[in-house]
């Protein structure tokens, strides 16, 4: 790859007065690990999930913001966002309602990256989580006064643009000191994609084996999952706020632990424990009572407390939350998050370590405190995952609601009529999909036959294809069913469906050294 010039200082930083020149590190990985493959090991294992231990004495139940059971130093990392669009009040409550050392903000998912890339195509200054900027501006004084550091992947496909916007937002604010902001670059492979393919990196689809060249002309974004080392570098440079692009979600939590406890990048067991902490933290309220199936009626989620990891240098940690907020932290809520998006629990692959979740032990200490121990790790792989999004045609989705009597039968008949009309018009699609909402759409055939006397059923139909004209014509065929179809239609107030681009996901692998030699960390005062 052709080395890129180091990033220049954000001109907006001049608004903050005289500041030292930027500190820029070209982060270099250690010697090649040789690494294992991405093939899962045999065996499944099972975590040990202990119910609440009523035998614990008060002395064994840690209390206070930074109390560890053996007096060791504890680092508290609060989860503030689990996805782009999560509750904006959560990070404010984490900072203002109790003691934390770090605020972790996770904004990215595969589809999020493609959305941000489309935004950047329309506006070169866009492509990041804009609500992150407003949030940091509102919290700036609190963060500086309380010395809470922020680690976030809000940079999306434009980390420098995110910092520029943050500089504008902070320029007029009077703060005890100017915050230092780090930007991690190097995950975005779009500019070098053709060069990589020409050099023999085929970026084959992990499921189908097809080379990326088959869809190269339609690729919208390509980002490698970086690990925690660039975050550690940023924190070593004194960053108060770290802005990354496509960092692996868990690294936003275990990166600070590596920095605070000086964990080696080859201490696989410690890193694995950090990965488990990050996995619990990465989905926000989902670990503290949100989206929980256990006693969900009794969990107060009006003003929920998001999870906080209280970690010690040996990798053990407690999951908790601020005590005066809603939500709930129990072995049940933590277990539900542990198994979320879990494949083989013995083979949880991250850029820094392969973690084994199978021997995790959860101990419910009561009072919204769950101790987590037992994770182990193995040597990291020699490749990184690349998240690629590409354009794959167009889609449109529309709906009509049919009222009692015979609501389901009417919706079924409307589906038959509409498909017949599409066929009459000669419209061909890659896929036509129908759902009958209210009659088993969530569970499909597992729901069994619908009830005989449903009060209403919503027909939801979508089409997907390469011909935009055909998809557009489909959007004009729903409304005629109101009068030229089964009776008792309602629910068409939204009007004609909108034609949307289909963005498909292409997961691939790439040699890690090709990516990591281009990773750069730049830290400046804003």
């Amino acid at each position: 790859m052709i080395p890129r010039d180091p990033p220049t200082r954000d001109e907006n930083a001049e608004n903050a007065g005289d500041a030292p020149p930027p500190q820029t590190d070209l982060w270099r990985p250690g010697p090649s690990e040789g690494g294992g493959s991405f093939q899962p090991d045999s065996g499944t294992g099972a975590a040990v999930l202990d119910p609440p231990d009523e035998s614990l004495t008060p002395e064994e139940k840690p209390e206070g913001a930074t109390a560890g059971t053996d007096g060791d130093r504890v680092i508290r990392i609060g989860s503030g966002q689990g996805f782009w669009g999560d509750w904006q009040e959560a990070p404010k409550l984490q900072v203002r309602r109790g003691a934390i050392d770090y605020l972790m903000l996770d904004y990215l998912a595969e589809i999020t990256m493609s959305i941000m890339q489309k935004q950047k195509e329309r506006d070169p200054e866009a492509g990041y989580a804009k609500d992150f900027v407003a949030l940091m501006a509102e919290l700036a004084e609190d963060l500086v006064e309380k010395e809470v550091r922020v680690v976030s992947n809000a940079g999306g496909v434009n980390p420098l643009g995110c910092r520029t916007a943050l500089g504008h937002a902070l320029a007029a604010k009077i703060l005890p000191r100017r915050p230092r902001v780090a930007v991690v670059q190097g995950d975005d492979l779009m500019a070098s994609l053709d060069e990589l393919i020409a050099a023999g990196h085929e970026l084959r689809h992990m499921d189908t084996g097809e080379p990326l060249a088959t869809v190269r002309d339609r690729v919208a974004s390509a980002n490698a999952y970086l690990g925690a080392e660039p975050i550690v570098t940023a924190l070593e440079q004194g960053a108060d706020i770290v802005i990354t692009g496509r960092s692996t979600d868990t690294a936003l939590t275990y990166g600070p632990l590596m920095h605070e406890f000086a964990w080696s990048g080859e201490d696989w067991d410690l890193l694995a424990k950090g990965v488990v902490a990050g996995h619990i933290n990465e989905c926000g309220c989902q670990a503290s009572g949100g989206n929980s199936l256990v006693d969900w009626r009794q969990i107060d989620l009006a003003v929920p407390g998001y999870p906080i990891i209280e970690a010690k240098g040996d990798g053990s940690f407690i999951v908790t939350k601020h005590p005066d907020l809603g939500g709930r932290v129990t072995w049940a809520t933590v277990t539900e998050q542990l198994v979320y998006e879990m494949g083989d629990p013995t083979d949880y692959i991250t850029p820094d370590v392969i973690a084994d979740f199978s021997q995790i032990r959860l101990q419910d200490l009561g009072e919204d405190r769950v101790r987590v121990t037992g994770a182990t790790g193995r040597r990291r792989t020699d490749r990184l995952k690349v998240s690629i999004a590409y354009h794959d045609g167009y889609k449109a989705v529309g709906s009509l609601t049919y009222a009692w009597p015979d609501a389901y039968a009417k919706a079924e008949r409307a589906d038959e009529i509409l498909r017949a009309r599409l066929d009459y018009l000669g419209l061909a699609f890659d896929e036509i999909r129908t759902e009958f909402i209210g009659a088993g759409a969530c569970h499909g055939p597992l729901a069994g036959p619908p009830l005989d006397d449903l009060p209403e059923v919503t027909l939801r139909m979508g089409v997907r294809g390469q011909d935009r004209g055909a998809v557009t014509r489909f959007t004009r065929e729903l409304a005629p069913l109101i009068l030229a179809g089964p009776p008792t239609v309602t629910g068409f107030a939204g009007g004609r469906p909108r034609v949307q681009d289909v963005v498909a996901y292409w997961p691939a692998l790439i040699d890690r050294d090709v990516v990591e030699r281009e990773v750069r960390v730049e830290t400046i005062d804003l």
Side-chain angles (χ1 to χ4, degrees), residues 216-451:
R216 171 63 188 95
D217 59 331
R218 293 183 277 148
V219 171
S221 65
N223 296 81
Y225 284 78
L226 301 182
E229 292 287 355
I231 295 173
V232 174
T233 298
L235 296 174
E236 289 173 349
Q237 293 178 1
D240 300 297
I241 300 173
V242 182
I243 300 172
T244 78
R246 181 64 280 191
S247 167
T248 187
D249 301 345
T250 54
L252 303 177
T253 293
Y254 70 80
L257 298 181
M258 292 178 68
H259 168 68
E260 292 287 345
F261 297 121
W263 288 352
S264 164
E266 296 184 358
D267 196 326
W268 312 121
D269 286 347
L270 283 178
L271 293 178
K273 291 174 173 61
V275 166
V276 174
H279 180 70
I280 292 171
N281 230 14
E282 70 185 18
C283 291
C285 194
Q286 196 160 269
S288 55
N291 197 25
S292 175
L293 282 170
V294 179
D295 294 333
W296 59 270
R297 291 180 177 84
Q298 284 73 48
I299 301 175
D300 179 7
L301 293 172
V303 185
Y306 276 41
I308 298 170
I309 300 294
E310 294 183 351
K312 301 191 336 186
D314 64 359
S316 64
F317 62 91
I318 288 173
V319 188
T320 187
K321 67 177 185 65
H322 290 322
D324 60 339
L325 298 175
R328 179 181 295 177
V329 177
T330 65
W331 69 269
T333 65
V334 174
T335 298
E336 285 184 301
Q337 174 56 28
L338 273 175
V339 299
Y340 176 70
E341 293 185 337
M342 179 61 62
D344 183 347
T346 69
D347 209 53
Y348 190 98
I349 300 171
T350 77
D352 296 306
V353 65
I354 302 175
D356 183 348
F357 282 47
S358 66
Q359 299 304 312
I360 291 174
R361 184 181 183 90
L362 303 184
Q363 186 180 23
D364 199 324
L365 305 177
E367 300 178 356
D368 293 309
R369 298 178 68 81
V370 175
R371 180 183 286 120
V372 183
T373 56
T376 58
R378 305 193 307 279
R379 182 180 298 275
R380 68 186 187 181
T381 68
D382 57 359
R383 291 182 289 178
L384 297 175
K385 184 177 180 181
V386 183
S387 174
I388 301 169
Y390 65 100
H391 299 290
D392 193 23
Y394 307 91
K395 68 176 181 179
V397 180
S399 63
L400 296 171
T401 298
Y402 288 87
W404 178 92
D406 303 317
Y408 177 65
K410 293 170 184 172
E412 272 196 314
R413 182 60 180 148
D415 176 51
E416 294 170 1
I417 293 169
L418 183 51
R419 287 173 181 264
R421 287 183 186 168
L422 296 177
D423 185 61
Y424 168 77
L425 294 170
L427 301 177
F429 304 96
D430 296 337
E431 183 179 10
I432 302 177
R433 180 170 296 184
T434 301
E435 294 177 331
F436 298 101
I437 300 173
C442 289
H443 296 94
L446 296 177
L451 299 175

Side-chain angles (χ1 to χ4, degrees), residues 76-81 89-100 102-105 139 146 148 281 288 304-309 320-322 325:
R76 291 168 57 89
I77 303 176
S79 172
Q81 295 281 274
E89 295 303 306
K92 303 172 193 176
L93 293 170
Q94 290 283 50
V95 172
R96 293 168 176 167
R97 299 292 281 271
I100 60 172
Y102 288 85
L103 177 65
M104 186 284 298
L105 303 172
L139 278 177
K146 296 175 181 289
V148 175
N281 230 14
S288 55
Y306 276 41
I308 298 170
I309 300 294
T320 187
K321 67 177 185 65
H322 290 322
L325 298 175

